[in-house]
Amino acid sequence: MSLKLPKLFYYLLGSILILNLLQANFTELIFDEAYYWHYAKNLAWGYFDHPPMVALMIKIGSYFFDGELGVRFVSCLLSAGTFILLWLAIDNPNKKKYVPHFFALVFSMTLLNAYGFFTLPDTPLLFFTALFLLVYKKFIEKPSFVLGLLLGVIMAALMYSKYHAVLVIFFVLLSNLKLVLNKYAWLAVITALLCYFPHFLWLYEHDYISIKYHLFERPNAPYNFNKYTLGFLVNLVAIFGLTFPFVYYALAKSRAKDLFTKALLYLTYGVLIFFFISSFNRRVQTQWIIVVSIPMAILVFSYMLEHENIRKWLFRLALINIAIILILRIGLIYEPLFPIHYETHGNKAWMALIQSKAGDNPVVFENSYRNAPMYAFYTGKTSYSLNNINYRQNQYSIDNSEEAVQHKKVLYISKYLDKKDIAFPKDSGSIYYGMFMDDFESFRKLRCIVEDEKFELNDERHVVKLYNPYDQDIALKKLKFAIAYLNEAKQFKELVGVDLVPENAQLMHLSSNDSTLFTFKLPKPKKTDAPKYFKIVISENGLRYGLNSKTIKLD
């Protein structure tokens, strides 16, 4: 493996890097980027939805640049690094003759292109996957203490990027089971676990909230072939665009001639099969399979080098792909060129409109971890997402954002207000409404904890422990309790009021940082036939009911 790169490689890579930096600077944030920017305001070892790598990237970039470029600067660098790592992983001596073909192939991959400037957890996942494969290639050639240590650090970096990284590590190790007898491979595993320990500790301190949400709490609609399995197959085409027939043909023709190629094939087929099976249970998002772009770029380019006809057609179709992608990239900035209204369009102006009405008062968005950080980013003002039973928990459910709006006059914004003081129409066609609240007070961190394992719709009484994590006592008269019934897909269907009876009949307040025992009976649902799950939920000061317990199964 030579680190010397052809001059043409530098020219093309430099051109792409400049293009990505310009795109990063002039394209408005997408909602997920704003959300991860919110992460980065308070660096931690973990966040509700993801590990912390994406927040660290934004924090570093923001030291160098303000605005959108600060959010995306490190992503642009990692994308360029990914291209270099892919090139270095290819051994064929003829590759220097086909530098344009290499760039045409990788730059034509749709999401690999988009993650060249967007800052999302997949961006570091792609970079560290490429680095992991390159170091693994050297490791299997000649294992050593240094390579074992480095491999362990990279595996931890993968897992700090996105939980899906476990598939990368698993399928590569599965391709070479003899590693269980290699002392340096065990060194890599131990190093990875030690490096990842701070995140394990964060999960423990937060009651494994991320794992519980992704595996157990996430709502999931009933199986639909068109949306799930057919949608997965469409995604397989979408990630490669017009080149997909030749890309998959090259994959099918690739053979495991050595341990490294075997690892590439195991990783590619393993991820594709895993998510194909998953598609019979839930909708597979396109970015979940994007990691296969890394091993497939190596496999397909290696195949291209040996087969002139495939090389010729892949190159032609890749150039058409790139032309389409570049037009769409301009459309991210200049809306008339984009076929639909996209989330990079109009948010800055919309947030300015809201701020013109809110003034310096904080803005509370109902059920929107997307709008709340976007408002804070573009206005520099305080915002908060108040999540209720019609939505889901997110980072705003566990961080200290709620404190910043307590007992303040706030502009409350929702799509579903009864009192519609102010209208905020969006370019996308939706309309939000706003109203001022003079003394906003919420207690969304109140937790209802049940120990019973069996629940039925009968007259049996159950015990619930109500934990108040706040540094103040909370008057019970401010709270109302209800049972939220959910269907088999864990989708909210019906709300029924419930009486929580305190063990202490004289109880008037929930004590600060303490738990109080109540008993309750499950009320009969009025509209829902045979609900499968329920939550215990709380409304404070007349606000819509929150998300105050885990999802509990009904027998």
Side-chain angles (χ1 to χ4, degrees):
M1 181 184 69
S2 173
L3 292 177
K4 187 176 180 180
L5 303 173
K7 285 186 178 179
L8 182 58
F9 189 98
Y10 284 114
Y11 294 149
L12 292 174
L13 183 65
S15 299
I16 290 174
L17 177 59
I18 292 170
L19 173 65
N20 286 339
L21 289 170
L22 289 171
Q23 184 90 51
N25 185 66
F26 292 107
T27 305
E28 290 186 22
L29 294 190
I30 62 174
F31 289 114
D32 280 353
E33 288 179 301
Y35 185 44
Y36 303 140
W37 170 82
H38 176 70
Y39 282 10
K41 291 199 296 181
N42 293 286
L43 282 184
W45 286 105
Y47 298 92
F48 182 89
D49 314 76
H50 294 291
M53 185 65 74
V54 68
L56 179 61
M57 290 166 54
I58 294 171
K59 193 73 170 181
I60 293 172
S62 297
Y63 283 127
F64 296 97
F65 300 99
D66 296 325
E68 291 90 348
L69 184 56
V71 172
R72 295 168 172 153
F73 178 65
V74 173
S75 290
C76 295
L77 299 182
L78 291 187
S79 174
T82 300
F83 282 25
I84 295 172
L85 295 169
L86 288 173
W87 178 261
L88 295 176
I90 298 163
D91 280 336
N92 195 310
N94 292 324
K95 68 181 182 180
K96 293 182 180 180
K97 301 177 184 178
Y98 299 102
V99 172
H101 294 73
F102 171 80
F103 277 94
L105 174 66
V106 294
F107 197 62
S108 71
M109 295 181 179
T110 54
L111 289 187
L112 201 60
N113 190 305
Y115 294 150
F117 58 93
F118 282 140
T119 293
L120 301 164
D122 305 273
T123 308
L125 176 66
L126 292 169
F127 173 80
F128 286 114
T129 297
L131 182 59
F132 173 66
L133 290 173
L134 182 62
V135 174
Y136 174 73
K137 184 173 184 290
K138 299 297 293 180
F139 181 86
I140 55 181
E141 291 171 1
K142 189 176 181 180
S144 68
F145 179 87
V146 172
L147 286 176
L149 205 63
L150 181 58
L151 206 58
V153 173
I154 296 168
M155 285 194 291
L158 270 169
M159 290 300 299
Y160 274 121
S161 299
K162 195 172 184 179
Y163 293 125
H164 287 159
V166 70
L167 298 177
V168 176
I169 298 169
F170 173 77
F171 287 119
V172 170
L173 296 182
L174 186 64
S175 72
N176 186 7
L177 293 178
K178 289 183 179 179
L179 288 172
V180 298
L181 303 176
N182 188 308
K183 62 182 180 181
Y184 297 121
W186 281 106
L187 171 65
V189 172
I190 294 169
T191 301
L193 291 174
L194 288 174
C195 290
Y196 206 59
F197 178 77
H199 184 64
F200 284 135
L201 182 61
W202 183 91
L203 287 171
Y204 172 76
E205 291 174 344
H206 291 80
D207 194 29
Y208 304 99
I209 193 166
S210 304
I211 306 300
K212 288 179 178 179
Y213 171 72
H214 287 299
L215 295 182
F216 307 114
E217 294 287 323
R218 202 168 194 157
N220 188 33
Y223 177 73
N224 180 298
F225 175 79
N226 290 338
K227 291 182 179 179
Y228 287 19
T229 306
L230 182 60
F232 166 76
L233 298 176
V234 170
N235 287 340
L236 295 184
V237 175
I239 62 175
F240 297 113
L242 296 175
T243 63
F244 83 91
F246 296 98
V247 166
Y248 287 112
Y249 178 82
L251 173 64
K253 289 293 185 178
S254 298
R255 297 292 179 265
K257 57 186 178 182
D258 52 45
L259 281 175
F260 182 63
T261 309
K262 185 180 179 183
L264 299 177
L265 290 169
Y266 266 63
L267 174 54
T268 302
Y269 283 114
V271 170
L272 293 180
I273 292 170
F274 177 86
F275 284 115
F276 174 69
I277 295 171
S278 298
S279 75
F280 291 96
N281 175 257
R282 65 179 63 247
R283 185 174 69 87
V284 176
Q285 298 179 23
T286 312
Q287 67 269 23
W288 292 359
I289 58 175
I290 184 59
V291 73
V292 301
S293 298
I294 299 301
M296 287 184 73
I298 301 171
L299 290 167
V300 174
F301 185 65
S302 298
Y303 191 84
M304 287 172 63
L305 293 175
E306 302 296 334
H307 298 84
E308 182 180 356
N309 195 45
I310 293 293
R311 183 170 65 244
K312 177 178 66 177
W313 279 103
L314 263 172
F315 185 68
R316 291 172 178 172
L317 291 171
L319 291 179
I320 299 173
N321 253 13
I322 290 170
I324 295 171
I325 289 171
L326 290 177
I327 292 171
L328 292 175
R329 285 181 59 158
I330 296 172
L332 291 175
I333 304 170
Y334 181 62
E335 186 174 353
L337 284 180
F338 210 78
I340 59 173
H341 178 84
Y342 190 58
E343 54 189 273
T344 59
H345 303 137
N347 283 307
K348 188 174 183 179
W350 194 64
M351 297 306 168
L353 172 64
I354 294 174
Q355 201 268 324
S356 70
K357 302 295 183 182
D360 291 329
N361 296 304
V363 176
V364 175
F365 290 89
E366 182 181 79
N367 290 349
S368 189
Y369 72 88
R370 294 156 62 91
N371 285 327
M374 190 73 80
Y375 180 82
F377 180 82
Y378 279 117
T379 68
K381 304 297 182 181
T382 302
S383 65
Y384 174 60
S385 175
L386 185 77
N387 309 310
N388 65 41
I389 189 59
N390 297 100
Y391 200 49
R392 74 166 181 90
Q393 287 188 300
N394 49 62
Q395 183 62 23
Y396 288 94
S397 304
I398 64 173
D399 64 18
N400 61 0
S401 302
E402 187 182 42
E403 296 176 18
V405 298
Q406 293 290 66
H407 299 290
K408 302 282 182 64
K409 180 180 181 180
V410 305
L411 178 61
Y412 189 90
I413 294 181
S414 170
K415 284 185 176 181
Y416 310 105
L417 285 181
D418 295 326
K419 183 182 178 183
K420 301 174 180 179
D421 292 348
I422 314 169
F424 297 105
K426 295 194 73 173
D427 291 344
S428 59
S430 58
I431 301 177
Y432 287 74
Y433 300 96
M435 61 178 287
F436 283 99
M437 295 183 178
D438 290 330
D439 184 13
F440 181 83
E441 183 181 47
S442 63
F443 303 114
R444 290 293 139 124
K445 292 183 181 180
L446 289 174
R447 301 303 297 163
C448 298
I449 304 164
V450 294
E451 304 293 344
D452 290 358
E453 296 182 357
K454 187 174 182 179
F455 291 88
E456 296 179 355
L457 292 174
N458 54 33
D459 290 333
E460 183 180 354
R461 297 200 72 84
H462 302 276
V463 175
V464 57
K465 184 176 4 178
L466 184 51
Y467 175 62
N468 172 16
Y470 296 93
D471 293 329
Q472 65 180 91
D473 294 346
I474 300 174
L476 278 179
K477 66 180 181 180
K478 294 182 178 181
L479 308 179
K480 292 182 180 179
F481 302 94
I483 298 294
Y485 286 112
L486 291 72
N487 63 13
E488 65 278 359
K490 298 179 182 177
Q491 296 169 316
F492 168 62
K493 303 303 292 184
E494 182 181 355
L495 199 64
V496 183
V498 65
D499 289 327
L500 263 62
V501 180
E503 287 200 341
N504 176 3
Q506 306 302 316
L507 186 72
M508 301 296 291
H509 295 82
L510 299 177
S511 298
S512 167
N513 294 299
D514 200 3
S515 297
T516 307
L517 294 180
F518 293 77
T519 62
F520 70 99
K521 291 192 298 184
L522 285 173
K524 300 290 184 182
K526 300 174 182 178
K527 303 175 183 177
T528 309
D529 293 329
K532 298 298 182 182
Y533 300 91
F534 75 94
K535 290 177 180 284
I536 305 173
V537 295
I538 301 172
S539 166
E540 62 273 49
N541 301 306
L543 296 169
R544 288 187 175 91
Y545 286 88
L547 295 154
N548 304 98
S549 80
K550 67 179 182 179
T551 301
I552 305 165
K553 194 175 189 321
L554 277 167
D555 293 319

mmCIF file with all atom_site columns, all heavy atoms in Angstrom, residues 17-34:
data_model
loop_
_atom_site.group_PDB
_atom_site.id
_atom_site.type_symbol
_atom_site.label_atom_id
_atom_site.label_alt_id
_atom_site.label_comp_id
_atom_site.label_asym_id
_atom_site.label_entity_id
_atom_site.label_seq_id
_atom_site.pdbx_PDB_ins_code
_atom_site.Cartn_x
_atom_site.Cartn_y
_atom_site.Cartn_z
_atom_site.occupancy
_atom_site.B_iso_or_equiv
_atom_site.pdbx_formal_charge
_atom_site.auth_seq_id
_atom_site.auth_comp_id
_atom_site.auth_asym_id
_atom_site.auth_atom_id
_atom_site.pdbx_PDB_model_num
ATOM 1   N N   . LEU A 1 17 ? -13.612 18.690 -2.805 1.00 0.00 ? 17 LEU A N   1
ATOM 2   C CA  . LEU A 1 17 ? -13.586 19.281 -1.469 1.00 0.00 ? 17 LEU A CA  1
ATOM 3   C C   . LEU A 1 17 ? -14.043 20.741 -1.518 1.00 0.00 ? 17 LEU A C   1
ATOM 4   O O   . LEU A 1 17 ? -14.851 21.183 -0.688 1.00 0.00 ? 17 LEU A O   1
ATOM 5   C CB  . LEU A 1 17 ? -12.193 19.181 -0.867 1.00 0.00 ? 17 LEU A CB  1
ATOM 6   C CG  . LEU A 1 17 ? -11.995 19.834 0.510  1.00 0.00 ? 17 LEU A CG  1
ATOM 7   C CD1 . LEU A 1 17 ? -12.939 19.241 1.547  1.00 0.00 ? 17 LEU A CD1 1
ATOM 8   C CD2 . LEU A 1 17 ? -10.547 19.699 0.967  1.00 0.00 ? 17 LEU A CD2 1
ATOM 9   N N   . ILE A 1 18 ? -13.547 21.494 -2.495 1.00 0.00 ? 18 ILE A N   1
ATOM 10  C CA  . ILE A 1 18 ? -13.960 22.902 -2.635 1.00 0.00 ? 18 ILE A CA  1
ATOM 11  C C   . ILE A 1 18 ? -15.455 22.981 -2.923 1.00 0.00 ? 18 ILE A C   1
ATOM 12  O O   . ILE A 1 18 ? -16.177 23.813 -2.351 1.00 0.00 ? 18 ILE A O   1
ATOM 13  C CB  . ILE A 1 18 ? -13.142 23.593 -3.740 1.00 0.00 ? 18 ILE A CB  1
ATOM 14  C CG1 . ILE A 1 18 ? -11.685 23.723 -3.295 1.00 0.00 ? 18 ILE A CG1 1
ATOM 15  C CG2 . ILE A 1 18 ? -13.727 24.965 -4.065 1.00 0.00 ? 18 ILE A CG2 1
ATOM 16  C CD1 . ILE A 1 18 ? -10.750 24.180 -4.393 1.00 0.00 ? 18 ILE A CD1 1
ATOM 17  N N   . LEU A 1 19 ? -15.935 22.131 -3.825 1.00 0.00 ? 19 LEU A N   1
ATOM 18  C CA  . LEU A 1 19 ? -17.363 22.091 -4.135 1.00 0.00 ? 19 LEU A CA  1
ATOM 19  C C   . LEU A 1 19 ? -18.188 21.820 -2.883 1.00 0.00 ? 19 LEU A C   1
ATOM 20  O O   . LEU A 1 19 ? -19.207 22.493 -2.624 1.00 0.00 ? 19 LEU A O   1
ATOM 21  C CB  . LEU A 1 19 ? -17.646 21.023 -5.192 1.00 0.00 ? 19 LEU A CB  1
ATOM 22  C CG  . LEU A 1 19 ? -19.116 20.746 -5.501 1.00 0.00 ? 19 LEU A CG  1
ATOM 23  C CD1 . LEU A 1 19 ? -19.785 21.958 -6.137 1.00 0.00 ? 19 LEU A CD1 1
ATOM 24  C CD2 . LEU A 1 19 ? -19.254 19.520 -6.408 1.00 0.00 ? 19 LEU A CD2 1
ATOM 25  N N   . ASN A 1 20 ? -17.746 20.845 -2.073 1.00 0.00 ? 20 ASN A N   1
ATOM 26  C CA  . ASN A 1 20 ? -18.483 20.491 -0.860 1.00 0.00 ? 20 ASN A CA  1
ATOM 27  C C   . ASN A 1 20 ? -18.461 21.622 0.167  1.00 0.00 ? 20 ASN A C   1
ATOM 28  O O   . ASN A 1 20 ? -19.460 21.876 0.851  1.00 0.00 ? 20 ASN A O   1
ATOM 29  C CB  . ASN A 1 20 ? -17.919 19.216 -0.246 1.00 0.00 ? 20 ASN A CB  1
ATOM 30  C CG  . ASN A 1 20 ? -18.310 17.974 -1.028 1.00 0.00 ? 20 ASN A CG  1
ATOM 31  O OD1 . ASN A 1 20 ? -19.292 17.984 -1.779 1.00 0.00 ? 20 ASN A OD1 1
ATOM 32  N ND2 . ASN A 1 20 ? -17.554 16.907 -0.867 1.00 0.00 ? 20 ASN A ND2 1
ATOM 33  N N   . LEU A 1 21 ? -17.332 22.309 0.275  1.00 0.00 ? 21 LEU A N   1
ATOM 34  C CA  . LEU A 1 21 ? -17.250 23.427 1.217  1.00 0.00 ? 21 LEU A CA  1
ATOM 35  C C   . LEU A 1 21 ? -18.180 24.564 0.797  1.00 0.00 ? 21 LEU A C   1
ATOM 36  O O   . LEU A 1 21 ? -18.852 25.180 1.642  1.00 0.00 ? 21 LEU A O   1
ATOM 37  C CB  . LEU A 1 21 ? -15.807 23.927 1.315  1.00 0.00 ? 21 LEU A CB  1
ATOM 38  C CG  . LEU A 1 21 ? -14.825 23.006 2.045  1.00 0.00 ? 21 LEU A CG  1
ATOM 39  C CD1 . LEU A 1 21 ? -13.395 23.495 1.855  1.00 0.00 ? 21 LEU A CD1 1
ATOM 40  C CD2 . LEU A 1 21 ? -15.152 22.902 3.530  1.00 0.00 ? 21 LEU A CD2 1
ATOM 41  N N   . LEU A 1 22 ? -18.224 24.845 -0.494 1.00 0.00 ? 22 LEU A N   1
ATOM 42  C CA  . LEU A 1 22 ? -19.133 25.881 -0.990 1.00 0.00 ? 22 LEU A CA  1
ATOM 43  C C   . LEU A 1 22 ? -20.585 25.467 -0.766 1.00 0.00 ? 22 LEU A C   1
ATOM 44  O O   . LEU A 1 22 ? -21.419 26.271 -0.333 1.00 0.00 ? 22 LEU A O   1
ATOM 45  C CB  . LEU A 1 22 ? -18.878 26.137 -2.478 1.00 0.00 ? 22 LEU A CB  1
ATOM 46  C CG  . LEU A 1 22 ? -17.561 26.844 -2.817 1.00 0.00 ? 22 LEU A CG  1
ATOM 47  C CD1 . LEU A 1 22 ? -17.331 26.843 -4.322 1.00 0.00 ? 22 LEU A CD1 1
ATOM 48  C CD2 . LEU A 1 22 ? -17.560 28.271 -2.277 1.00 0.00 ? 22 LEU A CD2 1
ATOM 49  N N   . GLN A 1 23 ? -20.900 24.200 -1.060 1.00 0.00 ? 23 GLN A N   1
ATOM 50  C CA  . GLN A 1 23 ? -22.257 23.699 -0.855 1.00 0.00 ? 23 GLN A CA  1
ATOM 51  C C   . GLN A 1 23 ? -22.634 23.790 0.618  1.00 0.00 ? 23 GLN A C   1
ATOM 52  O O   . GLN A 1 23 ? -23.741 24.197 0.980  1.00 0.00 ? 23 GLN A O   1
ATOM 53  C CB  . GLN A 1 23 ? -22.348 22.247 -1.317 1.00 0.00 ? 23 GLN A CB  1
ATOM 54  C CG  . GLN A 1 23 ? -23.744 21.649 -1.231 1.00 0.00 ? 23 GLN A CG  1
ATOM 55  C CD  . GLN A 1 23 ? -24.548 21.854 -2.488 1.00 0.00 ? 23 GLN A CD  1
ATOM 56  O OE1 . GLN A 1 23 ? -24.080 21.547 -3.566 1.00 0.00 ? 23 GLN A OE1 1
ATOM 57  N NE2 . GLN A 1 23 ? -25.763 22.358 -2.356 1.00 0.00 ? 23 GLN A NE2 1
ATOM 58  N N   . ALA A 1 24 ? -21.684 23.401 1.477  1.00 0.00 ? 24 ALA A N   1
ATOM 59  C CA  . ALA A 1 24 ? -21.936 23.429 2.921  1.00 0.00 ? 24 ALA A CA  1
ATOM 60  C C   . ALA A 1 24 ? -22.236 24.833 3.402  1.00 0.00 ? 24 ALA A C   1
ATOM 61  O O   . ALA A 1 24 ? -23.078 25.045 4.282  1.00 0.00 ? 24 ALA A O   1
ATOM 62  C CB  . ALA A 1 24 ? -20.730 22.864 3.667  1.00 0.00 ? 24 ALA A CB  1
ATOM 63  N N   . ASN A 1 25 ? -21.560 25.808 2.832  1.00 0.00 ? 25 ASN A N   1
ATOM 64  C CA  . ASN A 1 25 ? -21.716 27.178 3.280  1.00 0.00 ? 25 ASN A CA  1
ATOM 65  C C   . ASN A 1 25 ? -23.029 27.813 2.811  1.00 0.00 ? 25 ASN A C   1
ATOM 66  O O   . ASN A 1 25 ? -23.651 28.580 3.554  1.00 0.00 ? 25 ASN A O   1
ATOM 67  C CB  . ASN A 1 25 ? -20.544 28.020 2.777  1.00 0.00 ? 25 ASN A CB  1
ATOM 68  C CG  . ASN A 1 25 ? -20.568 29.431 3.308  1.00 0.00 ? 25 ASN A CG  1
ATOM 69  O OD1 . ASN A 1 25 ? -20.420 29.656 4.513  1.00 0.00 ? 25 ASN A OD1 1
ATOM 70  N ND2 . ASN A 1 25 ? -20.770 30.406 2.431  1.00 0.00 ? 25 ASN A ND2 1
ATOM 71  N N   . PHE A 1 26 ? -23.467 27.493 1.606  1.00 0.00 ? 26 PHE A N   1
ATOM 72  C CA  . PHE A 1 26 ? -24.607 28.198 1.021  1.00 0.00 ? 26 PHE A CA  1
ATOM 73  C C   . PHE A 1 26 ? -25.925 27.426 1.098  1.00 0.00 ? 26 PHE A C   1
ATOM 74  O O   . PHE A 1 26 ? -26.959 27.945 0.678  1.00 0.00 ? 26 PHE A O   1
ATOM 75  C CB  . PHE A 1 26 ? -24.295 28.555 -0.445 1.00 0.00 ? 26 PHE A CB  1
ATOM 76  C CG  . PHE A 1 26 ? -23.223 29.591 -0.583 1.00 0.00 ? 26 PHE A CG  1
ATOM 77  C CD1 . PHE A 1 26 ? -21.955 29.240 -1.024 1.00 0.00 ? 26 PHE A CD1 1
ATOM 78  C CD2 . PHE A 1 26 ? -23.460 30.909 -0.236 1.00 0.00 ? 26 PHE A CD2 1
ATOM 79  C CE1 . PHE A 1 26 ? -20.952 30.194 -1.146 1.00 0.00 ? 26 PHE A CE1 1
ATOM 80  C CE2 . PHE A 1 26 ? -22.466 31.870 -0.353 1.00 0.00 ? 26 PHE A CE2 1
ATOM 81  C CZ  . PHE A 1 26 ? -21.205 31.511 -0.804 1.00 0.00 ? 26 PHE A CZ  1
ATOM 82  N N   . THR A 1 27 ? -25.915 26.216 1.614  1.00 0.00 ? 27 THR A N   1
ATOM 83  C CA  . THR A 1 27 ? -27.143 25.424 1.741  1.00 0.00 ? 27 THR A CA  1
ATOM 84  C C   . THR A 1 27 ? -27.672 25.525 3.165  1.00 0.00 ? 27 THR A C   1
ATOM 85  O O   . THR A 1 27 ? -26.929 25.301 4.130  1.00 0.00 ? 27 THR A O   1
ATOM 86  C CB  . THR A 1 27 ? -26.871 23.943 1.411  1.00 0.00 ? 27 THR A CB  1
ATOM 87  O OG1 . THR A 1 27 ? -26.273 23.848 0.115  1.00 0.00 ? 27 THR A OG1 1
ATOM 88  C CG2 . THR A 1 27 ? -28.166 23.137 1.427  1.00 0.00 ? 27 THR A CG2 1
ATOM 89  N N   . GLU A 1 28 ? -28.942 25.860 3.315  1.00 0.00 ? 28 GLU A N   1
ATOM 90  C CA  . GLU A 1 28 ? -29.535 25.900 4.655  1.00 0.00 ? 28 GLU A CA  1
ATOM 91  C C   . GLU A 1 28 ? -29.497 24.513 5.294  1.00 0.00 ? 28 GLU A C   1
ATOM 92  O O   . GLU A 1 28 ? -29.499 23.492 4.599  1.00 0.00 ? 28 GLU A O   1
ATOM 93  C CB  . GLU A 1 28 ? -30.977 26.406 4.580  1.00 0.00 ? 28 GLU A CB  1
ATOM 94  C CG  . GLU A 1 28 ? -31.106 27.875 4.222  1.00 0.00 ? 28 GLU A CG  1
ATOM 95  C CD  . GLU A 1 28 ? -32.544 28.372 4.306  1.00 0.00 ? 28 GLU A CD  1
ATOM 96  O OE1 . GLU A 1 28 ? -33.354 27.745 5.019  1.00 0.00 ? 28 GLU A OE1 1
ATOM 97  O OE2 . GLU A 1 28 ? -32.855 29.387 3.659  1.00 0.00 ? 28 GLU A OE2 1
ATOM 98  N N   . LEU A 1 29 ? -29.502 24.493 6.606  1.00 0.00 ? 29 LEU A N   1
ATOM 99  C CA  . LEU A 1 29 ? -29.478 23.222 7.325  1.00 0.00 ? 29 LEU A CA  1
ATOM 100 C C   . LEU A 1 29 ? -30.727 22.402 7.037  1.00 0.00 ? 29 LEU A C   1
ATOM 101 O O   . LEU A 1 29 ? -31.810 22.935 6.818  1.00 0.00 ? 29 LEU A O   1
ATOM 102 C CB  . LEU A 1 29 ? -29.397 23.453 8.834  1.00 0.00 ? 29 LEU A CB  1
ATOM 103 C CG  . LEU A 1 29 ? -28.133 24.091 9.417  1.00 0.00 ? 29 LEU A CG  1
ATOM 104 C CD1 . LEU A 1 29 ? -28.175 23.984 10.942 1.00 0.00 ? 29 LEU A CD1 1
ATOM 105 C CD2 . LEU A 1 29 ? -26.871 23.471 8.869  1.00 0.00 ? 29 LEU A CD2 1
ATOM 106 N N   . ILE A 1 30 ? -30.565 21.078 7.051  1.00 0.00 ? 30 ILE A N   1
ATOM 107 C CA  . ILE A 1 30 ? -31.735 20.211 7.115  1.00 0.00 ? 30 ILE A CA  1
ATOM 108 C C   . ILE A 1 30 ? -32.061 19.991 8.593  1.00 0.00 ? 30 ILE A C   1
ATOM 109 O O   . ILE A 1 30 ? -31.253 20.278 9.478  1.00 0.00 ? 30 ILE A O   1
ATOM 110 C CB  . ILE A 1 30 ? -31.516 18.873 6.380  1.00 0.00 ? 30 ILE A CB  1
ATOM 111 C CG1 . ILE A 1 30 ? -30.375 18.064 7.011  1.00 0.00 ? 30 ILE A CG1 1
ATOM 112 C CG2 . ILE A 1 30 ? -31.254 19.104 4.895  1.00 0.00 ? 30 ILE A CG2 1
ATOM 113 C CD1 . ILE A 1 30 ? -30.214 16.670 6.406  1.00 0.00 ? 30 ILE A CD1 1
ATOM 114 N N   . PHE A 1 31 ? -33.248 19.484 8.869  1.00 0.00 ? 31 PHE A N   1
ATOM 115 C CA  . PHE A 1 31 ? -33.724 19.415 10.254 1.00 0.00 ? 31 PHE A CA  1
ATOM 116 C C   . PHE A 1 31 ? -32.828 18.555 11.141 1.00 0.00 ? 31 PHE A C   1
ATOM 117 O O   . PHE A 1 31 ? -32.566 18.901 12.293 1.00 0.00 ? 31 PHE A O   1
ATOM 118 C CB  . PHE A 1 31 ? -35.156 18.900 10.294 1.00 0.00 ? 31 PHE A CB  1
ATOM 119 C CG  . PHE A 1 31 ? -36.160 19.882 9.772  1.00 0.00 ? 31 PHE A CG  1
ATOM 120 C CD1 . PHE A 1 31 ? -36.874 19.615 8.610  1.00 0.00 ? 31 PHE A CD1 1
ATOM 121 C CD2 . PHE A 1 31 ? -36.390 21.077 10.416 1.00 0.00 ? 31 PHE A CD2 1
ATOM 122 C CE1 . PHE A 1 31 ? -37.800 20.524 8.122  1.00 0.00 ? 31 PHE A CE1 1
ATOM 123 C CE2 . PHE A 1 31 ? -37.309 22.001 9.942  1.00 0.00 ? 31 PHE A CE2 1
ATOM 124 C CZ  . PHE A 1 31 ? -38.016 21.714 8.781  1.00 0.00 ? 31 PHE A CZ  1
ATOM 125 N N   . ASP A 1 32 ? -32.372 17.419 10.624 1.00 0.00 ? 32 ASP A N   1
ATOM 126 C CA  . ASP A 1 32 ? -31.526 16.557 11.446 1.00 0.00 ? 32 ASP A CA  1
ATOM 127 C C   . ASP A 1 32 ? -30.224 17.254 11.809 1.00 0.00 ? 32 ASP A C   1
ATOM 128 O O   . ASP A 1 32 ? -29.718 17.084 12.925 1.00 0.00 ? 32 ASP A O   1
ATOM 129 C CB  . ASP A 1 32 ? -31.234 15.242 10.717 1.00 0.00 ? 32 ASP A CB  1
ATOM 130 C CG  . ASP A 1 32 ? -32.393 14.258 10.822 1.00 0.00 ? 32 ASP A CG  1
ATOM 131 O OD1 . ASP A 1 32 ? -33.353 14.552 11.561 1.00 0.00 ? 32 ASP A OD1 1
ATOM 132 O OD2 . ASP A 1 32 ? -32.337 13.200 10.172 1.00 0.00 ? 32 ASP A OD2 1
ATOM 133 N N   . GLU A 1 33 ? -29.678 18.026 10.888 1.00 0.00 ? 33 GLU A N   1
ATOM 134 C CA  . GLU A 1 33 ? -28.443 18.757 11.200 1.00 0.00 ? 33 GLU A CA  1
ATOM 135 C C   . GLU A 1 33 ? -28.680 19.774 12.318 1.00 0.00 ? 33 GLU A C   1
ATOM 136 O O   . GLU A 1 33 ? -27.836 19.937 13.212 1.00 0.00 ? 33 GLU A O   1
ATOM 137 C CB  . GLU A 1 33 ? -27.927 19.465 9.958  1.00 0.00 ? 33 GLU A CB  1
ATOM 138 C CG  . GLU A 1 33 ? -27.342 18.548 8.905  1.00 0.00 ? 33 GLU A CG  1
ATOM 139 C CD  . GLU A 1 33 ? -26.864 19.324 7.695  1.00 0.00 ? 33 GLU A CD  1
ATOM 140 O OE1 . GLU A 1 33 ? -27.678 20.019 7.069  1.00 0.00 ? 33 GLU A OE1 1
ATOM 141 O OE2 . GLU A 1 33 ? -25.664 19.242 7.387  1.00 0.00 ? 33 GLU A OE2 1
ATOM 142 N N   . ALA A 1 34 ? -29.810 20.462 12.271 1.00 0.00 ? 34 ALA A N   1
ATOM 143 C CA  . ALA A 1 34 ? -30.132 21.406 13.343 1.00 0.00 ? 34 ALA A CA  1
ATOM 144 C C   . ALA A 1 34 ? -30.263 20.679 14.675 1.00 0.00 ? 34 ALA A C   1
ATOM 145 O O   . ALA A 1 34 ? -29.816 21.181 15.727 1.00 0.00 ? 34 ALA A O   1
ATOM 146 C CB  . ALA A 1 34 ? -31.423 22.150 13.010 1.00 0.00 ? 34 ALA A CB  1
#
